[in-house]
Amino acid sequence: MSSHPRPVMVASNRGPVTFRVDDAGQLQSSRGQGGLVTALTGAMQSGGTWVAAALTDGDREMVARHPEGRIQVKADDTSYDLRYLAFPQAVFDGYYNNISNGLLWFAHHYLWDTVHSPLFKEDTVQAWEDYISVNRAFATALAEEASRLPEPPTYLIQDYHLSLVPHFLRELQPDALIAHFSHTAIAGPTYLRIIPDRIRDAVLRGLLGADVLGFHSEAWAENFLMSCRYVSGARVDLGRSRVVLEGREILVRVHPISIDVAPMRELASSLQARRLRQQLNRWRGNARLILRVDRMELSKNILRGFLAYENFLRRHPSWKGRVKFLALLSPSRQEIPEYAAYTEDCIREAERINTELGGEDWTPIEVRIREDYLGAIAAYGLYDVLMVNPVFDGMNLVAMEGPVLNRRHGVLLLSRNAGAYFRLGRYAIGVNPFDIEGQADAISEALEMSEDERTRRSRGLSRLVLANPPARWIRLQLDDIERVRRRRGFSAA
Ligand code: G6P
């Protein structure tokens, strides 16, 4: 869609840069990895600001040292402003740990054991106020930043942390062009009824403040539309994938994100990565390798993955000693009690399986819990089977990273509840993440698969990933917004 590029304002909880104070008291910054940061940065070619929450002590120090917490960042031929918002610890805790990650994340990934949880009490009421105040602060900061620009920007709001921002921003700027993108799975209307009515209604109405709502898969877009049927005054048009509320039309669009392959391949061919691959190869010996790479995250279904592997080994004892499972897990959200408990459960189960099935010269499962991006990049090169079995997942980028870096025509085991399954499913072995026996069968099928079939599938996976670079993801969203702009009669300069 031809039009001159407009300034873009991005808002996300986690910003593109992390700051730390070095021994000399200087602020040092490091840029986040991944296609999302690259894609959103690329969208700011005509200027703009990225507003995010200060997460680390270094981030807060950056805010303290710069007027309004704003600095200029240069990246990939683009220069943009970065503004971090610092919140009192208790407010941030309510907004981030309690509501964003303890309530909304749990709801959208179906994580509750509903016989016993959740129990919404006074702390939820207080935390909800914190969530509102942080979302309001984001909207206010965005409007302030926009007033410094020569022309009205396009707002790109990211994820469940900021679901009220579109609504608050619309109150401040009724004509604003706002897109919100959900990177998570989205629960269906029945499950969403678990969360307090007031919160559910505010979240849905908050999102509906946008002009365009983006999701990674048809399943999440449909769930969202179905939930909107319960928002009073909203008219849902499933056929045209839109909602009409208070005379405004809100478009619901599916734009699956992919990964930025070139920098990953470059890193994978670095000397350091090569050394790590050699080490891993020595550790693996003659065994086949099953790999998983995840955040230490409830929705990733790590425990059932171990149980499926155990089931496979018990039913196919000839594989004992001939296969190893490597789980590379980066620590995540340990402030939330369920995450700390889950981490212990995973370690305990792996140890039990190792004790019951392993021997002196063979350990069935190796669990490594640490931040180790390079280690993951190296390991991707070596797997025979990549296990990606989330309970529910908005997209899942491991399912894309693995196939473009793997050198052994490895097989992808992929949960049918991951957004990625809708894109890659035809070249993966699809699994029901709750079915232990079924996942064990899938491991067996993957390990026994013919070389021809493995080659066909792994090539297919790489092809699909490479055909959808992150720049395309952002371009399609900007095209949506441009259509809204034209329909509203804005001048298309
Ligand atoms: C998911 C969310 C992101 C979030 C990431 C890591 O992918 O969609 O918004 O940044 O998890 O979680 P964290 O809580 O560490 O930011």
Side-chain angles (χ1 to χ4, degrees):
M1 187 162 287
S2 69
S3 70
H4 88 263
R6 320 219 172 224
V8 163
M9 310 277 294
V10 176
S12 63
N13 173 64
R14 190 173 283 280
V17 176
T18 304
F19 295 89
R20 67 176 180 84
V21 181
D22 67 14
D23 294 342
Q26 298 294 311
L27 270 182
Q28 300 294 344
S29 63
S30 55
R31 186 162 171 244
Q33 282 137 352
L36 183 66
V37 170
T38 311
L40 289 170
T41 307
M44 292 196 287
Q45 268 156 8
S46 305
T49 307
W50 191 321
V51 180
L55 302 182
T56 65
D57 287 344
D59 294 352
R60 283 183 282 274
E61 189 54 30
M62 188 286 264
V63 175
R65 290 187 193 185
H66 294 84
E68 297 180 278
R70 186 193 301 116
I71 63 162
Q72 223 189 22
V73 176
K74 287 190 178 42
D76 304 339
D77 308 326
T78 312
S79 162
Y80 63 94
D81 283 339
L82 180 63
R83 179 166 169 189
Y84 278 2
L85 307 176
F87 300 98
Q89 195 51 52
V91 172
F92 184 79
D93 189 49
Y95 146 79
Y96 178 72
N97 287 321
N98 192 316
I99 300 295
S100 299
N101 290 341
L103 190 153
L104 296 175
W105 182 272
F106 271 62
H108 286 317
H109 297 88
Y110 298 76
L111 293 181
W112 283 304
D113 164 15
T114 53
V115 176
H116 301 104
S117 66
L119 301 170
F120 296 120
K121 295 194 276 196
E122 312 80 73
D123 64 325
T124 310
V125 176
Q126 178 51 50
W128 177 241
E129 292 306 315
D130 297 330
Y131 184 85
I132 292 174
S133 76
V134 169
N135 272 252
R136 220 185 259 288
F138 264 89
T140 307
L142 287 167
E144 275 169 23
E145 294 304 316
S147 66
R148 302 170 66 237
L149 295 168
E151 61 180 319
T154 297
Y155 294 97
L156 300 177
I157 319 289
Q158 308 302 307
D159 238 351
Y160 60 102
H161 315 86
L162 304 181
S163 50
L164 309 184
V165 171
H167 172 80
F168 289 144
L169 195 51
R170 175 87 42 216
E171 282 182 344
L172 295 171
Q173 296 183 346
D175 290 333
L177 288 162
I178 308 172
H180 180 285
F181 203 97
S182 292
H183 295 273
T184 65
I186 299 291
T190 321
Y191 197 81
L192 224 47
R193 267 188 238 155
I194 293 174
I195 68 180
D197 300 359
R198 190 161 78 92
I199 297 184
R200 184 188 59 244
D201 198 58
V203 164
L204 294 171
R205 283 178 188 279
L207 291 169
L208 291 169
D211 297 293
V212 187
L213 294 170
F215 299 91
H216 284 311
S217 124
E218 287 76 3
W220 319 142
E222 273 167 28
N223 279 350
F224 176 78
L225 284 164
M226 302 288 270
S227 296
C228 286
R229 288 179 158 179
Y230 299 92
V231 173
S232 81
R235 195 161 52 78
V236 176
D237 184 346
L238 276 181
R240 293 170 65 189
S241 198
R242 60 174 200 152
V243 180
V244 178
L245 179 67
E246 289 156 7
R248 285 190 317 106
E249 181 187 56
I250 299 101
L251 305 176
V252 172
R253 292 286 174 264
V254 177
H255 295 310
I257 199 169
S258 187
I259 54 165
D260 201 1
V261 175
M264 292 185 69
R265 285 198 168 151
E266 203 180 307
L267 193 58
S269 59
S270 68
L271 188 63
Q272 263 176 311
R274 228 177 301 151
R275 288 217 177 103
L276 286 173
R277 266 197 304 275
Q278 281 163 2
Q279 279 171 21
L280 272 175
N281 250 335
R282 275 198 295 277
W283 166 80
R284 171 241 285 277
N286 291 325
R288 308 285 283 280
L289 178 64
I290 302 176
L291 174 71
R292 77 173 305 139
V293 175
D294 281 302
R295 282 191 298 114
M296 187 70 229
E297 161 61 52
L298 307 183
S299 65
K300 301 296 181 187
N301 209 19
I302 296 156
L303 199 56
R304 286 197 192 85
F306 291 161
L307 296 179
Y309 176 59
E310 176 189 12
N311 180 303
F312 158 76
L313 288 172
R314 289 194 190 279
R315 287 198 287 138
H316 303 271
S318 66
W319 275 101
K320 284 188 184 176
R322 294 169 50 218
V323 61
K324 285 183 175 179
F325 191 141
L326 175 63
L328 301 182
L329 307 168
S330 53
S332 185
R333 303 183 190 170
Q334 292 295 306
E335 293 79 6
I336 298 178
E338 286 90 338
Y339 280 65
Y342 187 66
T343 306
E344 282 175 23
D345 289 350
C346 289
I347 296 171
R348 201 177 40 243
E349 277 304 274
E351 279 170 359
R352 179 189 61 75
I353 294 167
N354 285 343
T355 311
E356 289 181 17
L357 298 181
E360 245 171 42
D361 47 2
W362 176 62
T363 307
I365 307 179
E366 164 107 355
V367 181
R368 298 184 188 166
I369 304 179
R370 58 171 186 252
E371 209 56 69
D372 186 12
Y373 183 64
L374 194 64
I377 294 283
Y380 282 142
L382 301 177
Y383 69 80
D384 298 286
V385 180
L386 181 65
M387 181 182 275
V388 181
N389 66 331
V391 170
F392 283 95
D393 208 335
M395 176 48 93
N396 196 296
L397 299 181
V398 169
M400 301 178 182
E401 292 169 356
V404 296
L405 295 185
N406 185 257
R407 295 152 180 227
R408 295 172 62 93
H409 297 146
V411 180
L412 174 64
L413 245 68
L414 184 55
S415 165
R416 294 193 194 93
N417 295 344
Y421 187 78
F422 289 72
R423 307 293 142 204
L424 308 178
R426 66 190 132 130
Y427 294 116
I429 301 185
V431 295
N432 171 343
F434 301 96
D435 181 355
I436 301 296
E437 194 94 347
Q439 290 176 85
D441 289 343
I443 293 175
S444 162
E445 186 187 338
L447 288 172
E448 306 285 358
M449 192 177 277
S450 72
E451 178 60 24
D452 277 0
E453 182 61 8
R454 286 164 63 114
T455 308
R456 187 187 73 82
R457 288 179 185 240
S458 62
R459 288 200 179 136
L461 289 169
S462 290
R463 205 173 45 242
L464 286 182
V465 175
L466 286 162
N468 186 29
R472 182 166 179 269
W473 174 75
I474 202 79
R475 197 185 65 239
L476 294 173
Q477 289 179 72
L478 294 176
D479 285 354
D480 287 343
I481 279 287
E482 198 52 40
R483 266 182 223 113
V484 174
R485 186 194 303 272
R486 289 185 180 183
R487 210 174 302 165
R488 280 220 220 129
F490 279 82
S491 68

